[in-house]
Amino acid sequence: AAGSPRRDFISVTLGPEEAAGVGGYNNSKAWRRRSCWRKWKQLSRLQRSVILFLFAFLAVCGVISYTSMGETWKSITNKSLDDQRTEQEIPRLKLANPAVLPAPQKADANHGDYPELSLQKPPKSPHVRRGPSNLQIKAPRRDTRLKTRHDTMRAVEELVEADKVEKTEKSIISWRGAVIEPDQSTEPPSSKIMELEKPSPVEPEDQKEPVPINERQLAVIEAFRHAWKGYKDFAWGHDELKPLSKSYSEWFGLGLTLIDALDTMWILGLKEEFEEARKWVANDLVFDKNVDVNLFESTIRILGGLLSTYHLSGDSLFLEKAKDIGNRLMPAFKTPSKIPYSDVNIGRGTAHPPRWTSDSTVAEVTSIQLEFRELSRLTGDEKFRKAVDEVMKHVHILSGKNDGLVPMFINTNSGQFTHLGVYTLGARADSYYEYLLKQWIQGGKKENELLEDYMRAIEGVKKHLLQRSEPKKLTFVGELAHGHFSAKMDHLVCFLPGTLALGAHNGLAADHMKLAETLIETCYQMYAQVETGLSPEIVHFNLHAQKGHKDVEIKPADRHNLLRPETVESLFYMYRFTGDKKYQDWGWEILQNFNRYTRVPTGGYTSINNVQNPSNPEPRDKMESFFLGETLKYMFLLFSDDIDLINLDKYVFNTEAHPLPIWVPA
Ligand code: DMJ
């Protein structure tokens, strides 16, 4: 074979008849069979192999395509069956859960493995509906199969998550973390859009799971309910409860206790009581009344109470009422010196000083700023803020101070301090110092004059007013009268440890905290050294050790207790900032003693005349509004371990314990 050319082709030789197409066409089967066979025989072996191979190949292709057609057919048949089943199930599911079920997804491929997912399209996540597209979380493609268990779990989680978000979206406000459904909301729908443009009343992080309430907090709730029962039964809508005579007293005739207690109810979670009180505010609280009110008292209790309740609840009713009373109080500032008068007639729009003098009290004219400044911020009306800022600027440059300590009176005509030479941190001056620090905190720690005045005043306290008692060497804050030190300390001064601690927490001198620690011990001793375990209104400290004498002496005229809050207030701050449980224990003792000596069985608590007589503390038949507004609120907060329950980096309490937002929270 070498050298001979290789033929790589098949030649088929046709006979002459076939080639010419002549000789007629014999169509008989036998002839055709014979002819084919003859032709097959004439083919070479290779040719026959190729042809056989071609036939075999075609046969295999035929079988494959038949199988595939069968599958297609089967699939078409199944699909139409599925369609029928889904159509039948839809009405039943629609009835079961109309809000969530989407339109039927006929072509959804999920049925096989995870039928429960295939029937229900995930509810739209709010992320899909809101926000710039690059931040949107895309909904899964409808034809995506869930191949793995991991995929399934994720899908289930997404569904649950989306459902949660949707539910949260539907709810309006949080009741200290618990969700309130829209129909329970106190927010009138029309005001909601307006609210969004305002500073958010409840930050999202405030809506986290509430820390469970403990036994002591429950005891506070029980005490509040008992007090509220008395107020509701005998004094509803009036200023103060007289629990023994089962009646009430009026001061301004503005439901003072009810307004003072609103935010306490909110904080304690007393929803029913709050709703009932809200109704009274909505329907019965009218400021258009021919009545004289004290500017300071109505600002801290009414304006402050309404503003804080507005912030906590988000209910614009309270802001409207706050605006109303704020406007009605403004005539007080129309004085020659711009130092406001003490009294305003909120119906007539006239103001005047007390009948016997043209002086105002320094603490009063300098402790209305947190409230009016906040009112300006909320309303956008600067007049409120301007009026109170003017007072502070004026007092800042005024002569007559003693190392930052202020006298107790200021004249509304001349604008000068009067009755010079007497310095106290008690009545008539106390909250001047408190509001220097708190305004500085409220405004984001930028107003340096306020800080300067505060720091200087604390130095003045250290220099002139601190002494130590005998025998226990308790550090206390006395008074200075024309150069003479008096060992007299009002219970009111017990706000000071809390204020000092708040300042230290906000970065002020560390020795302020040390002083706070020693002073709160003293305030506690003002309770502990007394027979009933309750502090009198005023104590005198012994400067010299005498046999059989304690540190604390009480004069007959001073041995009453008005259910005041200051010590409990400071205990709250001290516990928040140190975590030392002894402060909670001290507060617990005080609550028990209030229950022992001031609780009236038919409802309410009463101030008493004699803290030194446990067998007859001489009930006075009056429950001050600040017992509910302040004392029980601070008790509840003191016993809480939840620092977000009125977070002190977000809120600043006014002097009546109404929390107002810090404008630039830490
Ligand atoms: C409250 O009205 C306020 O705390 C005010 O600052 C002082 N007096 C009472 C409570 O004692």
Side-chain angles (χ1 to χ4, degrees), residues 193-201 310 319 323 377-379:
I193 295 165
M194 189 187 82
E195 293 301 329
L196 289 176
E197 293 158 9
K198 299 256 163 60
S200 158
Y310 164 67
L319 179 57
K323 272 192 247 174
R377 194 180 71 106
L378 289 173
T379 59

Side-chain angles (χ1 to χ4, degrees), residues 140-203:
R141 283 164 57 107
R142 271 169 43 181
D143 59 350
T144 304
R145 273 192 83 103
L146 302 172
K147 291 196 186 75
T148 64
R149 179 142 191 85
H150 177 72
D151 286 342
T152 317
M153 293 308 292
R154 215 177 44 216
V156 173
E157 278 164 20
E158 274 170 21
L159 280 174
V160 171
E161 211 39 57
D163 196 33
K164 263 195 220 158
V165 173
E166 190 126 312
K167 278 192 182 125
T168 312
E169 268 215 320
K170 279 184 209 154
S171 47
I172 302 296
I173 46 178
S174 103
W175 184 275
R176 293 196 40 246
V179 172
I180 294 178
E181 294 304 317
D183 54 343
Q184 294 171 298
S185 162
T186 53
E187 175 79 0
S190 58
S191 64
K192 276 181 194 147
I193 295 165
M194 189 187 82
E195 293 301 329
L196 289 176
E197 293 158 9
K198 299 256 163 60
S200 158
V202 181
E203 298 287 317

Side-chain angles (χ1 to χ4, degrees), residues 585-612:
D585 295 343
W586 292 353
W588 181 238
E589 274 177 38
I590 294 171
L591 177 63
Q592 285 172 307
N593 290 327
F594 276 134
N595 276 329
R596 210 166 280 144
Y597 298 109
T598 71
R599 185 172 164 120
V600 178
T602 46
Y605 287 74
T606 177
S607 47
I608 53 174
N609 259 333
N610 192 351
V611 292
Q612 292 181 296

Side-chain angles (χ1 to χ4, degrees), residues 186 188 262 273-282 315 317-318:
T186 53
L262 283 167
E273 289 85 347
F274 180 85
E275 289 300 337
E276 212 175 344
R278 185 210 181 264
K279 266 188 208 128
W280 184 86
V281 173
D315 186 339
L317 165 72
F318 300 106

Side-chain angles (χ1 to χ4, degrees), residues 434-582:
E434 180 188 347
Y435 268 37
L436 287 175
L437 177 76
K438 288 183 172 177
Q439 286 176 82
W440 178 71
I441 292 171
Q442 178 190 44
K445 305 185 201 175
K446 290 190 286 241
E447 296 151 290
N448 290 334
E449 290 182 353
L450 295 165
L451 180 60
E452 277 166 31
D453 287 352
Y454 176 74
M455 294 302 282
R456 196 168 296 140
I458 300 305
E459 289 311 304
V461 170
K462 286 193 225 164
K463 186 170 167 190
H464 299 288
L465 303 183
L466 290 188
Q467 284 278 2
R468 295 176 89 190
S469 67
E470 293 295 342
K472 285 204 160 180
K473 306 206 181 310
L474 304 172
T475 301
F476 68 93
V477 185
E479 296 183 356
L480 197 63
H482 310 291
H484 294 287
F485 180 80
S486 159
K488 165 181 178 270
M489 179 165 159
D490 294 353
H491 182 271
L492 287 169
V493 182
C494 288
F495 81 92
L496 187 60
T499 298
L500 287 168
L502 181 64
H505 174 74
N506 279 279
L508 304 187
D511 71 325
H512 286 201
M513 193 63 190
K514 284 263 161 294
L515 182 55
E517 281 165 7
T518 53
L519 287 177
I520 190 62
E521 167 79 39
T522 305
C523 289
Y524 169 63
Q525 289 299 326
M526 287 164 66
Y527 287 71
Q529 292 194 8
V530 180
E531 288 78 350
T532 55
L534 292 174
S535 171
E537 180 74 357
I538 299 169
V539 300
H540 287 78
F541 285 93
N542 280 318
L543 293 174
H544 308 287
Q546 291 176 66
K547 211 168 169 226
H549 282 254
K550 299 177 188 159
D551 301 72
V552 164
E553 297 285 349
I554 305 166
K555 301 201 174 197
D558 305 331
R559 59 189 183 198
H560 50 288
N561 178 298
L562 304 184
L563 312 170
R564 285 197 192 275
E566 290 77 15
T567 296
V568 183
E569 169 186 353
S570 285
L571 287 172
F572 156 64
Y573 284 105
M574 296 307 293
Y575 180 68
R576 270 284 168 101
F577 297 138
T578 66
D580 188 337
K581 299 261 179 210
K582 80 176 174 202

Side-chain angles (χ1 to χ4, degrees), residues 251 260 296-297 300-301 367 430-431 434-435 491-492 495 537 562-566 569 625-626 630-631 634 654-657:
W251 188 5
D260 227 0
F296 164 73
E297 297 291 358
I300 64 169
R301 300 185 199 213
S367 308
D430 48 0
S431 44
E434 180 188 347
Y435 268 37
H491 182 271
L492 287 169
F495 81 92
E537 180 74 357
L562 304 184
L563 312 170
R564 285 197 192 275
E566 290 77 15
E569 169 186 353
S625 79
F626 51 69
E630 297 194 70
T631 312
Y634 281 131
N654 86 339
T655 192
E656 188 75 6

